[in-house]
Amino acid sequence: NAGVTQTPKFRVLKTGQSMTLLCAQDMNHEYMYWYRQDPGMGLRLIHYSVGEGTTAKGEVPDGYNVSRLKKQNFLLGLESAAPSQTSVYFCASSRAASGGETQYFGPGTRLLVL
Amino acid sequence: EDQVTQSPEALRLQEGESSSLNCSYTVSGLRGLFWYRQDPGKGPEFLFTLYSAGEEKEKERLKATLTKKESFLHITAPKPEDSATYLCAALGGSNYKLTFGKGTLLTVNP
């Protein structure tokens, strides 16, 4: 039982390049989330999904797109990377949100945009 | 707007010196207060969930408590391996967004 895994662990991009971050969970969780963590800012929600085929915007969605084609996977895309997107990205999953269910986090992807 | 404030930002303790971390929250309709531990270069690791005022949970040297406005993470006789950043987060209202505090960096010296 691997929990939440993220690919890749580290990536360097040039401004304007695109990339996709992959998140996978093997806990059969309905809800999945993408966060970014920046020094002094704490964790901020980018996008989330309440089930296969559904996505919604979080607190800081601009410049990102997401897809949830399979229940176990949640993809985060950057169409045209900017230096402001340099950050550490965490994926999380939970059984549900309505009952205050715990979110379990992956190990993170460190992204540097030059 | 939901807010979570953690204090202090950093705390340095000697091994065995007990202390508490504070998490103040302003959340409408609290549905859960969460504590996580984060080691450098790692993702947040779940510690506790508290749901109602008066609730307490313990795990080894850690005990989390909850009031209507605050949560405390008490650390009893800490060891160097307890050194980490401790994050507090609140889930409230009818949305799905966890509001995180900025964390407390705990350093325990041997």
Side-chain angles (χ1 to χ4, degrees):
Chain A
N1 192 342
V4 179
T5 57
Q6 293 183 233
T7 309
K9 288 184 172 55
F10 178 70
R11 184 77 183 268
V12 179
L13 288 180
K14 294 181 179 179
T15 297
Q17 287 184 317
S18 63
M19 78 164 293
T20 300
L21 283 67
L22 171 65
C23 175
Q25 52 94 5
D26 62 2
M27 297 176 283
N28 200 35
H29 284 170
E30 288 293 332
Y31 293 68
M32 296 187 75
Y33 315 81
W34 276 107
Y35 291 87
R36 61 178 288 173
Q37 187 175 41
D38 303 290
M41 299 293 290
L43 280 154
R44 293 180 292 168
L45 183 65
I46 304 171
H47 286 281
Y48 63 96
S49 168
V50 301
E52 182 178 319
T54 72
T55 63
K57 294 180 180 180
E59 186 181 357
V60 288
D62 294 342
Y64 306 95
N65 55 75
V66 288
S67 64
R68 182 104 181 265
L69 299 180
K70 294 182 179 180
K71 184 177 182 179
Q72 64 268 33
N73 294 338
F74 195 27
L75 305 179
L76 178 70
L78 286 73
E79 290 184 347
S80 180
S84 61
Q85 294 178 304
T86 293
S87 187
V88 182
Y89 293 86
F90 290 101
C91 176
S93 71
S94 66
R95 288 192 297 176
S98 58
E101 292 285 349
T102 299
Q103 293 184 20
Y104 295 91
F105 285 79
T109 294
R110 282 145 190 81
L111 176 65
L112 174 62
V113 183
L114 301 175
Chain B
E1 184 179 331
D2 296 343
Q3 286 190 330
V4 173
T5 303
Q6 292 187 246
S7 62
E9 289 184 9
L11 180 63
R12 190 176 295 269
L13 300 174
Q14 289 298 121
E15 185 172 1
E17 179 186 2
S18 302
S19 188
S20 297
L21 311 183
N22 176 266
C23 171
S24 299
Y25 64 91
T26 306
V27 172
S28 57
L30 183 74
R31 292 185 286 125
L33 190 293
F34 304 83
W35 282 97
Y36 290 87
R37 169 192 171 127
Q38 187 173 25
D39 293 299
K42 302 284 183 65
E45 174 189 348
F46 170 69
L47 292 173
F48 304 107
T49 306
L50 302 167
Y51 293 104
S52 57
E55 189 175 0
E56 298 183 353
K57 288 191 177 175
E58 288 188 65
K59 179 181 179 181
E60 296 181 356
R61 295 177 292 281
L62 300 177
K63 183 170 83 172
T65 62
L66 182 65
T67 72
K68 288 186 177 181
K69 293 183 178 181
E70 296 176 303
S71 179
F72 294 92
L73 185 65
H74 307 278
I75 303 176
T76 302
K79 297 182 178 182
E81 53 261 42
D82 295 322
S83 297
T85 296
Y86 290 85
L87 302 173
C88 170
L91 181 68
S94 59
N95 60 43
Y96 304 102
K97 184 172 97 65
L98 263 183
T99 301
F100 278 87
K102 294 180 181 180
T104 293
L105 174 60
L106 175 66
T107 304
V108 181
N109 295 317

